[in-house]
Amino acid sequence: MITVIETVKEMQNISSKLIKSGETIGYVPTMGYLHEGHLTLIKKARKENSKVIISIFVNPLQFGPNEDYETYPRNFARDKKLASEAGVDYIFYPSVQEMYPTEMTTNLTVTKRTDVLCGKNRIGHFDGVATVLLKLFSIIRPNRVYFGLKDAQQVAVVDGLIQDFNLPIELCPVETVREEDGLAKSSRNVYLTMAEREEAPHLYKSLQEGVRLIESGKRNPEVVIAAINKYLKSNISGEVEYVEIHSFPSLLPLRQLEGKIIIALAVKYSKARLIDNIILNVT
Ligand code: PAF
């Protein structure tokens, strides 16, 4: 039976008991409105831990003034049902008042890994993500935490957070779940028109084209980026916001492609903005 916990105190007590009795805690942080991506993370957590906790908290700190905090989709009854069916043991479901009872006296500022990809247009977003996650990690004290690689920049930021503060948590990044035609699954895909949906698999195909070039020996990132842009221009109508290649997870610029790298892109359609990436090892 799934248990819903609404207070920090109760969550801390339950986590303490679980830890004392030798359970391992797999934790999936979410903002609710669960979709297949979350369920994949929960499934992985279920396999690798004796207890699974998810949190559902729409964190105001990570929304910019013109972003959709108020209208962010919320449906707790549906989330509870899905979480229960997926085998979650506890849902931590605090209110904003419970998480931020007084104005914070300390906020984190993420100083690396945020000036590229989506981070460069979302000033302060990852500061809010890091601040809430540090709170959630210290309340829940999980052994393992699960994040989807679709938002690879978030994974990179959490990796930095865990290292910087020596948090005794194993970061478990989980591969992006895709439709049969390769399109990365996202709740935003429903906002695509039929024509946009038809061409959207080309986003992943363009990334694969990049990988193919690297595998054929290309090592200049500019050459690979140009080829991906050219592919996109000939195959999609959406507006390409960026195509970038960086080291991963440090997200530093590269003159020469080697080591673990990320090729990532964002494309704007009429009512949806899609992101995708491939992470690979270049030897
Ligand atoms: O990815 C999300 O849903 C949020 O950024 C997270 C990790 C739950 C922090 O609020």
Side-chain angles (χ1 to χ4, degrees), residues 193-207:
T193 64
M194 259 163 73
E196 289 170 346
R197 175 61 189 84
E198 228 163 79
E199 65 172 49
H202 283 299
L203 270 60
Y204 185 50
K205 288 200 179 117
S206 76
L207 294 170

Side-chain angles (χ1 to χ4, degrees), residues 130-155:
T131 302
V132 80
L133 285 177
L134 189 58
K135 279 171 74 73
L136 289 164
F137 290 165
S138 71
I139 295 166
I140 294 171
R141 295 196 284 150
N143 299 81
R144 299 189 184 87
V145 66
Y146 295 80
F147 288 93
L149 275 167
K150 172 131 187 300
D151 192 349
Q153 190 165 24
Q154 179 162 269
V155 172

